[in-house]
Amino acid sequence: MRWGGAAALVLATAACGPRARPAVTVVELDDGWRFHGTSDTTWLPARVPGTVHTDLLAAGRIPEPLVGVVENDLQWIEGETWSYRLDFDVDRRLLEEDRVELVFDGLDTYASVTLNGTPVLEADNMFRTWRVDAGGALQAGSNTLEIRFDPAVERGARRAEAHPWPIPHQEPDVSATRAFTRKAAYQYGWDWGPRYVTAGIWRPVRLEAWSGARITDAYVTDVEAGPDTLEAVLVVELDVADPGPVRLGIRSGNDAFDVSLEEVDITAPGRTTVATRLAFPGGELWWPRGSGGGRPHLYDVDIDVVRERRWDRLATRVGLRTVALDTTPDAGGSAFRFVVNGAPVFARGANVIPLDHFTPRADSATYARLLDDAVAANMNMVRVWGGGVYMPDVFYDLADERGLLVWQDFMFANTLVPGDSSFVASVAAEAGDQVRRLRRHPSLALWCGNNEVAEGWANWGWRAEYADDVALEVDAAYRRVFEDVLPAAVGEGDAGVPYWPSSPSIGWGHPESLTSGDSHYWGVWWGMEPFRVYADKVPRFASEFGFQALPDPATLATFGGSPGDGGPGSLDDEGMRAHQKHATGYETIRAYVERDWPVPPDDSLDAWSYVSQLAQAEGVGLALEAHRRSWPRTGGTLYWQLNDTWPVVSWSSRDHSERRKALQYRAADVFAPVAVLADRWADTVAVWVASDAPVVGALRVRLRTLSGDVLFEDSVPVSGAGLAWRANVADVLPGGSDPRTVFVESLLETASSPETGDVAFLVSPGALTLADPGVRVAAAEPDGSAWRVALTADRFAFAVRVRLDGADARFSRNYVHIVPGDTVLLRVTPSAPLPDLPARLRLRSLWDVPR
């Protein structure tokens, strides 16, 4: 196993749609389920995959848990024991196969399973794949499968009582239950999510019947790169019921390599591996977006295992790439950057949490829209945060296709771990399941042990809660899981993906957190430091930082409760408080808005949505700019957070209804292949050019009044990325001019890319002397399913927000500054055809904010 600065050349495989199973019979057990609880034993229809909360909702027993003010009323659900039952028929021929297995891709969490009254499984880990020999209990004809889910909070509490030491946490009920249960931590409540500790069959269930041998996995390793070819060892894992000679056929669906036929004599039943070397003449590498001048290229591979007849077939995809984490010591501390195919990559993206609090509700299209939004924001990496769930296969398939690297946390967040052997064994099995499942994906760039567990032990006072002798045991338990078990699982996966024990590696209150490792810088928000601090405290890799904003007004309307009630009327309404999970969230947002922005009245939620989103985009945007300017010292920036699990006021840049906040558009600008980054530093104005590739052009800088007059102009040649222009404010601002009435406009012109630019101000936005900008729609023309919209203004229009009245839409750009005399073009794609779209357009600029 290699991590840190060592590189390993690998060829990762990616699943391509459903597996073709000519001889393996798969019986999906998804229809016909029923369920009931302990307080009401009436059998009700259930959906699988699903959760008990969504099943109760579908049965009309509870209201929608994520809308309105119902969270407290639904806490009884977590204390019930829930029983699920399926009656199904089995053909006698199925039982004639060598093996018949009952497969659970996910049971949440403490589940007792019986088949025809025979106990077949006791599950205790939400993240495990459970495979049970069903041959002895299954019968031809009618069968009954029953699953009893015990309350996770009660089982976790019993485990906590039996453990020799308590687990510290800010919330005692969480530490007494959550830490001892291998279950999604966010379900117990977070500062951006509700507490709904659910249960159920959350991923598919099926029967698999087969004879001879089946293919369980395929991945590649030991790649050798030459001047004209790439070679790799393809490892095929088989589960064998009937030992003896077999033929393994490996074919390329797009002629990437020659057909390979391997004759293998398997001497014993059980798991075995077969390895064969493949040559890819003129092979094309898989590249993340915007890197290496390449694309995320994938090859099709078909694998057959045959004796007298074909026993099994696997259709998959492979992507050729190397990945390493460079942590080389240097004069400033030590590096932290990803190296793909030998080339350092500036990682730009965001953290991802579950797409819905009840994860089975997110379908393939939901994941596609999430990652399409990441692509639209010019990201090349997402981090799957450790307090949620390991994403489904489709998430990683889509990341492979889109060229998005994945930083993958193991599912541990903000809580220490028990030290008992059963817990450690469960973690080891979970890690093995997940590493084997994901190792085929070229998008997978890092396995990280946990989120903020080392941080809590070192800096949050957890260590002080234990006597010295107990602290040694607690520390040993931590090391056993995160320094022994998890890296061993990654190494045994043999896919060349690096491992990092904990994120962040050093807490944000320590100076060395800016010189080595990855950083979660929360001096802004938690520390109430000004946004400008982001420009001064620049880490080697920023893996978490952020600021809250209210979601879109249409999303806010769901906070109130009943459909059509108009939603909450002010920040103090019960619904607004229920959908803000940070104890001082509104107070913190207000404090930052009061520093730099006009402060709306509390009963103007539309204005609060608008202004808080501008503050979020401005503040987090400053960090993104500082991090990109710092490349290659800074290896990447992943802000907190891309998405929400429910309608809420949070740090996300797109809300639960998939409506993009202003930050989403600002990130797209800063992460663009060529970006112009203008900023004011005290009495200096500076302009940087950031580019993924060599750039040659001319930068034009103007100081203009808000009415459009040019007070100063300069032009400089640009050759390469970096600081392009700098001037003292006194040198560009004519005597007697009011800094509240001007702005700096920067435009980069190149032969190879469209004109791009940025604006900067000499005072805070709230201090600008704005007047009615006269912003208007100059033109709106249909273009297929979308509309081309042109905006213009008579005076400078600050951050024009475009919305549709009574309808949803996707906007190619939004929250745009409009310079007098210019026309801003954007593409509007309504969620449904709207012939009257121009009449529905609604525009707001900063001038429109009520005071």
Coordinates of all heavy atoms in Angstrom, one line a residue, residues 40 85 172 223 253 306 350 427 434 459 477 554 633 821 835:
D40 N -48.6 0.0 16.6 CA -49.8 -0.3 15.7 C -49.3 -1.5 14.8 O -48.5 -1.3 14.0 CB -50.0 1.0 14.9 CG -51.2 0.7 13.9 OD1 -51.7 -0.4 13.8 OD2 -51.6 1.7 13.2
R85 N -42.1 -7.6 6.1 CA -42.4 -8.9 5.7 C -42.7 -8.9 4.2 O -43.4 -8.0 3.6 CB -43.7 -9.4 6.4 CG -44.2 -10.8 5.9 CD -45.2 -11.4 6.8 NE -45.8 -12.6 6.3 CZ -46.4 -13.5 7.0 NH1 -46.5 -13.4 8.3 NH2 -46.8 -14.7 6.5
P172 N -25.0 14.9 25.0 CA -24.8 13.6 25.7 C -25.6 12.5 25.1 O -25.2 11.3 25.0 CB -25.3 14.0 27.1 CG -25.1 15.4 27.2 CD -25.4 16.0 25.9
V223 N 0.2 -1.4 -13.5 CA 0.2 -0.9 -14.8 C 1.7 -0.4 -15.1 O 2.3 0.1 -14.3 CB -0.7 0.3 -14.9 CG1 -0.6 1.0 -16.3 CG2 -2.2 -0.1 -14.7
G253 N -14.8 -3.9 -25.8 CA -16.0 -3.5 -26.6 C -15.6 -2.5 -27.6 O -16.4 -2.3 -28.6
V306 N -16.3 -19.5 -18.4 CA -16.9 -20.6 -19.2 C -16.3 -21.9 -18.8 O -15.1 -22.1 -18.6 CB -16.7 -20.3 -20.7 CG1 -17.4 -21.4 -21.5 CG2 -17.2 -18.9 -21.0
A350 N -16.3 21.0 -3.7 CA -17.1 21.2 -2.5 C -17.3 19.9 -1.9 O -17.1 18.8 -2.4 CB -18.4 21.9 -2.9
V427 N -16.1 -2.7 11.8 CA -15.5 -1.6 10.9 C -14.6 -2.3 9.9 O -14.6 -1.8 8.7 CB -14.7 -0.7 11.8 CG1 -13.8 0.2 11.0 CG2 -15.6 0.1 12.7
Q434 N -16.6 -1.7 1.3 CA -16.7 -0.5 0.5 C -15.4 -0.3 -0.3 O -15.5 0.2 -1.5 CB -16.8 0.7 1.5 CG -18.1 0.7 2.3 CD -19.3 0.7 1.4 OE1 -19.3 1.2 0.3 NE2 -20.5 0.2 1.9
N459 N -8.2 19.1 20.2 CA -8.5 20.6 20.4 C -9.9 20.9 21.0 O -10.2 22.1 21.2 CB -8.4 21.3 19.0 CG -7.0 21.2 18.4 OD1 -6.0 21.4 19.1 ND2 -6.9 20.9 17.2
A477 N -7.7 2.9 20.9 CA -8.8 2.6 20.1 C -8.9 3.4 18.8 O -9.2 2.8 17.7 CB -10.1 2.8 20.9
A554 N -38.6 30.5 -2.8 CA -39.6 29.4 -3.1 C -39.3 28.2 -2.1 O -40.3 27.5 -1.7 CB -39.5 28.9 -4.5
R633 N 1.4 26.5 -4.1 CA 1.5 26.3 -2.7 C 0.3 25.6 -2.1 O 0.3 24.7 -1.3 CB 1.8 27.6 -2.0 CG 1.9 27.5 -0.5 CD 2.0 28.8 0.3 NE 2.1 28.6 1.7 CZ 1.0 28.4 2.5 NH1 -0.2 28.4 2.0 NH2 1.2 28.2 3.8
G821 N -24.1 50.3 -20.3 CA -23.7 50.2 -21.7 C -23.5 48.8 -22.1 O -23.4 48.5 -23.4
P835 N -44.4 29.4 -22.5 CA -44.5 30.4 -23.6 C -44.5 31.8 -23.2 O -44.1 32.7 -23.9 CB -45.8 30.0 -24.3 CG -46.1 28.6 -23.9 CD -45.5 28.5 -22.5

